Amino acid sequence: MIPYGRQSVSQQDIDAVVEVLRSDWLTQGAVVPRFETAVADYCGAAHAVAVNSATSALHIACLALGVGPGDLVWTSPISFVASSNCARYCGADVDFVDVDGETANLSPAALERKLAAAKRNGRLPKVVIPVHLTGQSCDMEAIHALSRRYGFRIVEDASHAIGGSYRGEPVGNCHYSDIAVFSFHPVKVITSGEGGMATTNDAELAGLMALLRSHGITREPELLTREPDGPWYYEQLELGYNYRLTDIHAALGLSQMARLEAFVRRRNEIAARYDEALGGLPLRPLGRQQDAYSAYHLYVVRLDLARLSRSHRDVIVALRDRGIGVNVHYMPIYRQPDYARFGVNAQDFPEAERYYGETISLPLYVDLTEDLQDEVVAAMREVLAP
């Protein structure tokens, strides 16, 4: 089976991890701060806070922004459930904003309409979480302009998007947001095995997220509330979590940062080759956001079902039967059984529904050879033949 995604681990990556394994520090040594600095510098952000997953990063981002019971958080329905679960962990309510019909990213036009109605009803969101689906930035300038008008904070779910850019600047610089979050899961652009990172230009938010990732505990003299009892002394200042990233994981992530730009170039090459090879078939690639350079975590096509004799499901099953590990990213979050209790009406999200009924993610990873890609294309041509 040709998978839809997989990691690329070099001998240099292995050596970096082995070096940590042979050191005195496996968990909280010098490598995590070096990884944070590398990501912050690459993105052009003032601060970066490493954690054990992007889900954890989203959670502490919401907490740092004061999200709690009675608050409302909006996000895209076309995402992994972590994009909305993070608000629920804080006791907040969640709602969704429909996606753009071309890019499947959160639609600024739909957001503006929903904000106007929410203002009339007296319940605006505290935080909006745009999701950079497949590695392509949302129209952050438009979303940021709405935040200034309606008073909400912004957390970019950039889990797919490290190495991408928007308006010529790296995703994660937080010029249009309070916090941006990356994922380093094995199928993402770079990996630390498991891991995540939050970037921000706000020193107070960075400090609070760093506190929350480690039980809310500090030993920093300037943060202690009283004179220490001795050199062993520490204080829990907040109810935090054990969301720390280890030096083992950070070593892999830091090593992979050296190849990030090469990885993204290769992903764009593979995507361009798909664009050309799939021409003429009853499908279209996901639309491109103007002024954005995608990190291409995923290559997504949308089927033209009116031109097919097969259903969406039948196409996916037929491709998998031929050894092509296609997938769907994603089922709208509000369709999950755990979300049914909230009474979300699918008819309020026509573009998300249309997207879900048409979309397929094709194999895309750095080590995908042309021969393997040709196998994918040949299977697509066979399955989609009239």
Side-chain angles (χ1 to χ4, degrees), residues 13 23-24 37 57 59 74 133 184 208 233 331 368 381:
D13 297 332
S23 76
D24 293 332
T37 298
H59 183 197
W74 291 356
L133 186 68
F184 306 125
L208 186 50
Y233 185 78
M331 181 171 80
L368 182 72
R381 290 195 171 279

PDB file of all heavy atoms in Angstrom, residues 13 23-24 37 57 59 74 133 184 208 233 331 368 381:
ATOM      1  N   ASP A  13      19.372  12.604  11.350  1.00  0.00           N
ATOM      2  CA  ASP A  13      18.318  12.646  12.366  1.00  0.00           C
ATOM      3  C   ASP A  13      18.566  11.588  13.440  1.00  0.00           C
ATOM      4  O   ASP A  13      18.439  11.851  14.638  1.00  0.00           O
ATOM      5  CB  ASP A  13      16.947  12.396  11.728  1.00  0.00           C
ATOM      6  CG  ASP A  13      16.544  13.451  10.711  1.00  0.00           C
ATOM      7  OD1 ASP A  13      16.997  14.603  10.830  1.00  0.00           O
ATOM      8  OD2 ASP A  13      15.771  13.110   9.793  1.00  0.00           O
ATOM      9  N   SER A  23      23.482  11.245  26.354  1.00  0.00           N
ATOM     10  CA  SER A  23      23.774  12.393  27.214  1.00  0.00           C
ATOM     11  C   SER A  23      23.190  12.178  28.609  1.00  0.00           C
ATOM     12  O   SER A  23      22.549  11.163  28.885  1.00  0.00           O
ATOM     13  CB  SER A  23      23.197  13.666  26.593  1.00  0.00           C
ATOM     14  OG  SER A  23      21.784  13.709  26.769  1.00  0.00           O
ATOM     15  N   ASP A  24      23.370  13.163  29.456  1.00  0.00           N
ATOM     16  CA  ASP A  24      22.821  13.096  30.812  1.00  0.00           C
ATOM     17  C   ASP A  24      21.362  13.532  30.880  1.00  0.00           C
ATOM     18  O   ASP A  24      20.715  13.339  31.904  1.00  0.00           O
ATOM     19  CB  ASP A  24      23.644  13.985  31.752  1.00  0.00           C
ATOM     20  CG  ASP A  24      25.062  13.452  31.961  1.00  0.00           C
ATOM     21  OD1 ASP A  24      25.241  12.225  31.857  1.00  0.00           O
ATOM     22  OD2 ASP A  24      25.965  14.267  32.222  1.00  0.00           O
ATOM     23  N   THR A  37      14.099  27.919  19.649  1.00  0.00           N
ATOM     24  CA  THR A  37      14.768  29.048  19.014  1.00  0.00           C
ATOM     25  C   THR A  37      14.815  28.880  17.497  1.00  0.00           C
ATOM     26  O   THR A  37      14.585  29.843  16.748  1.00  0.00           O
ATOM     27  CB  THR A  37      16.199  29.194  19.569  1.00  0.00           C
ATOM     28  OG1 THR A  37      16.131  29.464  20.969  1.00  0.00           O
ATOM     29  CG2 THR A  37      16.942  30.321  18.874  1.00  0.00           C
ATOM     30  N   ALA A  57      -0.686  22.196  22.400  1.00  0.00           N
ATOM     31  CA  ALA A  57      -0.403  23.593  22.087  1.00  0.00           C
ATOM     32  C   ALA A  57      -1.691  24.387  21.908  1.00  0.00           C
ATOM     33  O   ALA A  57      -1.812  25.530  22.384  1.00  0.00           O
ATOM     34  CB  ALA A  57       0.465  23.681  20.836  1.00  0.00           C
ATOM     35  N   HIS A  59      -4.558  23.685  23.259  1.00  0.00           N
ATOM     36  CA  HIS A  59      -5.191  23.779  24.575  1.00  0.00           C
ATOM     37  C   HIS A  59      -4.585  24.912  25.392  1.00  0.00           C
ATOM     38  O   HIS A  59      -5.302  25.784  25.907  1.00  0.00           O
ATOM     39  CB  HIS A  59      -5.051  22.446  25.311  1.00  0.00           C
ATOM     40  CG  HIS A  59      -5.736  22.413  26.635  1.00  0.00           C
ATOM     41  ND1 HIS A  59      -5.457  21.456  27.594  1.00  0.00           N
ATOM     42  CD2 HIS A  59      -6.671  23.232  27.202  1.00  0.00           C
ATOM     43  CE1 HIS A  59      -6.204  21.679  28.660  1.00  0.00           C
ATOM     44  NE2 HIS A  59      -6.942  22.751  28.458  1.00  0.00           N
ATOM     45  N   TRP A  74     -14.876  29.802  17.828  1.00  0.00           N
ATOM     46  CA  TRP A  74     -15.260  29.371  16.484  1.00  0.00           C
ATOM     47  C   TRP A  74     -14.048  28.834  15.750  1.00  0.00           C
ATOM     48  O   TRP A  74     -12.932  29.339  15.908  1.00  0.00           O
ATOM     49  CB  TRP A  74     -15.826  30.540  15.676  1.00  0.00           C
ATOM     50  CG  TRP A  74     -17.157  31.056  16.129  1.00  0.00           C
ATOM     51  CD1 TRP A  74     -17.952  30.557  17.115  1.00  0.00           C
ATOM     52  CD2 TRP A  74     -17.831  32.195  15.584  1.00  0.00           C
ATOM     53  NE1 TRP A  74     -19.097  31.313  17.225  1.00  0.00           N
ATOM     54  CE2 TRP A  74     -19.047  32.325  16.304  1.00  0.00           C
ATOM     55  CE3 TRP A  74     -17.539  33.111  14.589  1.00  0.00           C
ATOM     56  CZ2 TRP A  74     -19.960  33.346  16.036  1.00  0.00           C
ATOM     57  CZ3 TRP A  74     -18.444  34.129  14.313  1.00  0.00           C
ATOM     58  CH2 TRP A  74     -19.652  34.244  15.025  1.00  0.00           C
ATOM     59  N   LEU A 133      -5.584  24.455   6.161  1.00  0.00           N
ATOM     60  CA  LEU A 133      -5.807  23.108   5.643  1.00  0.00           C
ATOM     61  C   LEU A 133      -4.790  22.761   4.558  1.00  0.00           C
ATOM     62  O   LEU A 133      -4.529  23.556   3.657  1.00  0.00           O
ATOM     63  CB  LEU A 133      -7.225  22.992   5.083  1.00  0.00           C
ATOM     64  CG  LEU A 133      -7.666  21.612   4.634  1.00  0.00           C
ATOM     65  CD1 LEU A 133      -7.813  20.671   5.826  1.00  0.00           C
ATOM     66  CD2 LEU A 133      -8.977  21.679   3.855  1.00  0.00           C
ATOM     67  N   PHE A 184       4.141  18.303  14.762  1.00  0.00           N
ATOM     68  CA  PHE A 184       5.292  17.535  14.289  1.00  0.00           C
ATOM     69  C   PHE A 184       5.016  16.036  14.330  1.00  0.00           C
ATOM     70  O   PHE A 184       5.914  15.223  14.573  1.00  0.00           O
ATOM     71  CB  PHE A 184       6.533  17.894  15.113  1.00  0.00           C
ATOM     72  CG  PHE A 184       6.814  19.371  15.153  1.00  0.00           C
ATOM     73  CD1 PHE A 184       6.928  20.030  16.370  1.00  0.00           C
ATOM     74  CD2 PHE A 184       6.925  20.103  13.990  1.00  0.00           C
ATOM     75  CE1 PHE A 184       7.178  21.389  16.418  1.00  0.00           C
ATOM     76  CE2 PHE A 184       7.172  21.475  14.017  1.00  0.00           C
ATOM     77  CZ  PHE A 184       7.301  22.119  15.230  1.00  0.00           C
ATOM     78  N   LEU A 208       3.083  32.389  29.954  1.00  0.00           N
ATOM     79  CA  LEU A 208       1.967  31.639  30.522  1.00  0.00           C
ATOM     80  C   LEU A 208       1.862  30.250  29.899  1.00  0.00           C
ATOM     81  O   LEU A 208       1.622  29.259  30.601  1.00  0.00           O
ATOM     82  CB  LEU A 208       0.666  32.420  30.330  1.00  0.00           C
ATOM     83  CG  LEU A 208      -0.594  31.851  30.977  1.00  0.00           C
ATOM     84  CD1 LEU A 208      -0.372  31.506  32.442  1.00  0.00           C
ATOM     85  CD2 LEU A 208      -1.761  32.822  30.821  1.00  0.00           C
ATOM     86  N   TYR A 233      13.400  24.594  46.135  1.00  0.00           N
ATOM     87  CA  TYR A 233      12.063  25.189  46.213  1.00  0.00           C
ATOM     88  C   TYR A 233      11.476  25.468  44.818  1.00  0.00           C
ATOM     89  O   TYR A 233      12.177  25.918  43.912  1.00  0.00           O
ATOM     90  CB  TYR A 233      12.147  26.489  46.998  1.00  0.00           C
ATOM     91  CG  TYR A 233      10.809  27.150  47.270  1.00  0.00           C
ATOM     92  CD1 TYR A 233       9.968  26.679  48.271  1.00  0.00           C
ATOM     93  CD2 TYR A 233      10.413  28.261  46.536  1.00  0.00           C
ATOM     94  CE1 TYR A 233       8.760  27.293  48.531  1.00  0.00           C
ATOM     95  CE2 TYR A 233       9.198  28.882  46.793  1.00  0.00           C
ATOM     96  CZ  TYR A 233       8.365  28.406  47.791  1.00  0.00           C
ATOM     97  OH  TYR A 233       7.167  29.023  48.047  1.00  0.00           O
ATOM     98  N   MET A 331     -13.759  14.627   7.627  1.00  0.00           N
ATOM     99  CA  MET A 331     -15.185  14.669   7.876  1.00  0.00           C
ATOM    100  C   MET A 331     -15.465  15.906   8.722  1.00  0.00           C
ATOM    101  O   MET A 331     -14.726  16.192   9.667  1.00  0.00           O
ATOM    102  CB  MET A 331     -15.619  13.418   8.632  1.00  0.00           C
ATOM    103  CG  MET A 331     -17.109  13.366   8.920  1.00  0.00           C
ATOM    104  SD  MET A 331     -17.625  11.756   9.583  1.00  0.00           S
ATOM    105  CE  MET A 331     -17.138  11.914  11.286  1.00  0.00           C
ATOM    106  N   LEU A 368       8.312  10.048  -1.838  1.00  0.00           N
ATOM    107  CA  LEU A 368       7.475   9.464  -2.889  1.00  0.00           C
ATOM    108  C   LEU A 368       8.224   9.593  -4.217  1.00  0.00           C
ATOM    109  O   LEU A 368       8.480  10.700  -4.700  1.00  0.00           O
ATOM    110  CB  LEU A 368       6.137  10.198  -2.968  1.00  0.00           C
ATOM    111  CG  LEU A 368       5.130   9.651  -3.992  1.00  0.00           C
ATOM    112  CD1 LEU A 368       4.554   8.313  -3.525  1.00  0.00           C
ATOM    113  CD2 LEU A 368       3.994  10.649  -4.229  1.00  0.00           C
ATOM    114  N   ARG A 381      -6.496   7.035 -13.100  1.00  0.00           N
ATOM    115  CA  ARG A 381      -7.024   7.011 -14.463  1.00  0.00           C
ATOM    116  C   ARG A 381      -7.899   5.775 -14.694  1.00  0.00           C
ATOM    117  O   ARG A 381      -8.938   5.844 -15.357  1.00  0.00           O
ATOM    118  CB  ARG A 381      -5.877   7.045 -15.476  1.00  0.00           C
ATOM    119  CG  ARG A 381      -5.162   8.407 -15.496  1.00  0.00           C
ATOM    120  CD  ARG A 381      -4.278   8.570 -16.722  1.00  0.00           C
ATOM    121  NE  ARG A 381      -3.786   9.940 -16.806  1.00  0.00           N
ATOM    122  CZ  ARG A 381      -4.485  10.971 -17.288  1.00  0.00           C
ATOM    123  NH1 ARG A 381      -5.714  10.770 -17.740  1.00  0.00           N
ATOM    124  NH2 ARG A 381      -3.970  12.172 -17.305  1.00  0.00           N
TER     125      ARG A 381
END
